[in-house]
Amino acid sequence: MVLLQLKGVELAFGDHVLLDKVDLEIHSGERVCVVGRNGAGKSTLLKMLQGDVLPDDGSIQRRDLLRISTLQQELPQAHDTPVYDVVAQGLGDVGELIAQYHDETLLADQADLAKLERLQAQIEAADGWSWQQKVEAMIDRLKLPAETSFAQLSGGWQRRVMLARALVVEPELLILDEPTNHMDVATIEWLEEQLKQFNGTLVFISHDRAFVQNLATRIIDLDRGHVYSWDGDYQSFLQYREKRLEDEATQNALFDKRLAEEEKWIRQGIKARRTRNEGRVARLKELRVERKERRELQGSANLSLNSADASGKLVFELEQVRFAWDDSKPQVAGFTTNVMRGDRIGLVGPNGVGKSTLLKLLLGNLQPQSGRLKVGTRLEVAYFDQARHQLDEDKSIADNVADGKDHVIVNGNSRHIIGYLGDFLFSGERARTPVRALSGGERNRVLLAKLFLKPCNLLVMDEPTNDLDVETLELLEEKLAEYDGTLLLVSHDRAFIDNVVTQLWVFSPGGDIDEHVGGYSDWFERTKQQRQQQQQQQKQAQQKTAPAANAASQPAEAKKSKKLSYKLQRELDALPDQIADAEEQRDALLAETSAADFYSQPGDYVQQQLAALAQAEEQLNQLEERWLELEEMNS
């Protein structure tokens, strides 16, 4: 069934044509990924699908009463609204009523009974109680801290909340713009599973190749104003696109050859001019117009690293290095390792677990609280900061990269700054634009341009892949693969990690860091096999104990004697709800303490919340142990 259809749609911003007579259909049950270069118009196309942008020409037809939900690329401004209310607001007016009713019931004895009665009547009139159940079910399904303030959550958790808000209305068409931005790998994999379970139609934009490969059933390539559709996964699409571009280049070459021949003919001598075919002249004019209107394929960035002299063989030596913020759980707990010249190490783990903290320890921006950290000799460091603090928002691209100079040194040769920035896809006019006016992908390219001017034998990159289009990502991979220095890389892009690093440092909450040889896929398969082996061992252990348990020659009286007393049975029945409440409390505190700005708050409050988190985890452990104990007694 066709949910949405574009016919002859045109859209341009000034002289820049985004959509050129585009025809497109979106069918029910599809998972469609829109790909293309930065600035090609992908986000604009999605806004057009949802009705926020109107075409200059052509038509858009949507099925009657089509329910559409969206998850935008940029998170909304953080506010103090509880998570429950944010999710409920996805339902519109009835959601506002449900949120008000929920907030009022939390006041218990202090609730305004008259207001509650009025809200009950309004919700009943709108048939809203069934929607209230869906709000609660969605919060439970995504394991959200319902009563926590939205502003206290980290970026990854805020995206979970906004996804719940989009899903609660049970949309037939769900539109996602870069949903994986700033998510850690575990959250990205969780999101994949949630979206695979979604029964409606999905249209999304993503530069995460593993995410697209695992999720998309159809690829739409937006290229120079035209859309090219491919039914299949991302890997087969790449082969199709390569063949399409080869065919296009062949056709353009034949066209240019024919045009050159016609231009030569029209410029022949006087005799030829007297006998020339007027129809052929008209066709030549048409060829000239067609050639003028051709939109050439945008080139790729031309990245090059300035290498420094080799460092010493030992780059870092760590022995029982420990670091914690205040008195909280350590982010690095007794880590011992050696980093040797030429090592290519990827740092992976949840957001806030300590990856950037360890990089700051290695770079000397922080000092270990215990243990020993030895830094090697002759190190020349280039550092890519995910927060982009090295960029001055008020200065132009050129001034940021060249520090106000007209020329830069690239591999020992002097180059004009405008020519150098052209390698990073910035035109002369764009190079004079202030950084504040740039998109996220453009800012990352500016930082790469600045970084690659610095001769280095130790390259430290903290989330370099955010907002970069696939072509630039692949070129960056190539350059890093050619780099002969030492590389430390933090990234949540699984394909990028696989293609660049040769070993992993895997971070766990509490400061534990495990070392693994290979890339992300190698580690994932290894841990998956370990989990399967553990499950198999547990299953075998249960099978061994089963015969004794099933010696059904036990008299009924003996079985009865194993039953719990009335009091213990009531305790056992109540434990699941108590555990669920304890998990919710623990998750809410964990979300708050994992937020990027948590440690910028007053020290007393930070200590109080960290102590509350430790207490919540201890309480949860005690409840789970008691449940296991009673279950065993009841078996």
Side-chain angles (χ1 to χ4, degrees), residues 502-626:
T502 57
Q503 58 179 300
L504 292 183
W505 290 348
V506 181
F507 288 66
S508 301
D512 292 330
I513 305 173
D514 295 324
E515 298 182 78
H516 296 268
V517 175
Y520 181 83
S521 297
D522 300 318
W523 169 78
F524 181 82
E525 287 300 322
R526 202 155 43 235
T527 53
K528 181 180 177 181
Q529 291 175 4
Q530 291 172 355
R531 286 195 300 269
Q532 290 174 345
Q533 290 173 358
Q534 291 173 356
Q535 292 171 359
Q536 185 65 25
Q537 291 171 357
Q538 292 174 357
K539 185 177 180 180
Q540 291 173 354
Q542 291 172 357
Q543 290 173 347
K544 288 179 181 179
T545 59
N550 291 333
S553 55
Q554 292 180 347
E557 291 78 6
K559 292 184 180 179
K560 287 182 181 179
S561 67
K562 284 193 172 185
K563 286 189 175 180
L564 296 175
S565 67
Y566 175 75
K567 182 179 179 181
L568 291 178
Q569 184 63 51
R570 289 197 61 183
E571 182 184 357
L572 176 61
D573 293 340
L575 276 171
D577 290 337
Q578 295 176 13
I579 291 173
D581 292 341
E583 285 180 337
E584 182 177 338
Q585 181 183 4
R586 188 274 314 273
D587 290 344
L589 289 166
L590 185 62
E592 179 184 358
T593 56
S594 298
D597 58 349
F598 174 70
Y599 292 100
S600 63
Q601 301 179 81
D604 292 344
Y605 179 76
V606 169
Q607 294 299 326
Q608 173 187 332
Q609 295 305 95
L610 291 173
L613 175 59
Q615 183 178 354
E617 290 179 335
E618 179 62 26
Q619 180 187 7
L620 179 59
N621 290 335
Q622 291 176 358
L623 289 171
E624 289 174 341
E625 288 175 1
R626 181 58 173 164

Side-chain angles (χ1 to χ4, degrees), residues 42-111:
K42 302 186 296 296
S43 295
T44 303
L45 176 60
L46 262 56
K47 291 177 182 177
M48 187 173 288
L49 296 181
Q50 65 200 48
D52 292 345
V53 173
L54 298 177
D56 296 333
D57 197 8
S59 64
I60 302 177
Q61 300 175 1
R62 298 177 183 84
R63 191 177 62 75
D64 292 341
L65 304 178
L66 178 64
R67 294 193 304 276
I68 303 177
S69 284
T70 62
L71 179 62
Q72 299 294 347
Q73 182 175 359
E74 298 297 331
L75 287 168
Q77 185 174 1
H79 43 75
D80 291 330
T81 307
V83 166
Y84 185 101
D85 294 8
V86 175
V87 176
Q89 288 165 3
L91 298 172
D93 293 340
V94 69
E96 290 284 355
L97 295 174
I98 291 170
Q100 291 179 38
Y101 181 83
H102 175 79
D103 294 344
E104 197 66 31
T105 58
L106 292 178
L107 299 176
D109 296 338
Q110 301 177 1

Side-chain angles (χ1 to χ4, degrees), residues 304-308 363 379-384 390 401 408-411 420 447-460 483:
S304 60
L305 281 162
N306 272 344
S307 297
L363 296 176
L379 288 184
E380 296 287 342
V381 182
Y383 177 42
F384 184 101
Q390 300 170 40
V401 174
V408 293
I409 303 299
V410 181
N411 289 325
Y420 174 68
L447 196 52
L448 287 173
K450 184 178 180 70
L451 181 77
F452 287 178
L453 284 176
K454 180 178 175 59
C456 66
N457 49 36
L458 172 60
L459 184 58
V460 181
Y483 179 61

Side-chain angles (χ1 to χ4, degrees), residues 1-5 26-28 49 60-68 170-173 201:
M1 177 190 299
V2 177
L3 299 182
L4 191 146
Q5 186 176 40
I26 303 296
H27 299 85
S28 59
L49 296 181
I60 302 177
Q61 300 175 1
R62 298 177 183 84
R63 191 177 62 75
D64 292 341
L65 304 178
L66 178 64
R67 294 193 304 276
I68 303 177
E170 296 182 346
E172 297 165 276
L173 175 59
T201 299

Side-chain angles (χ1 to χ4, degrees), residues 310-331:
S311 66
K313 186 175 181 180
L314 179 68
V315 179
F316 295 110
E317 182 180 1
L318 292 81
E319 184 178 347
Q320 292 298 313
V321 168
R322 184 186 185 279
F323 184 88
W325 296 103
D326 299 326
D327 294 327
S328 62
K329 284 187 176 181
Q331 291 206 306

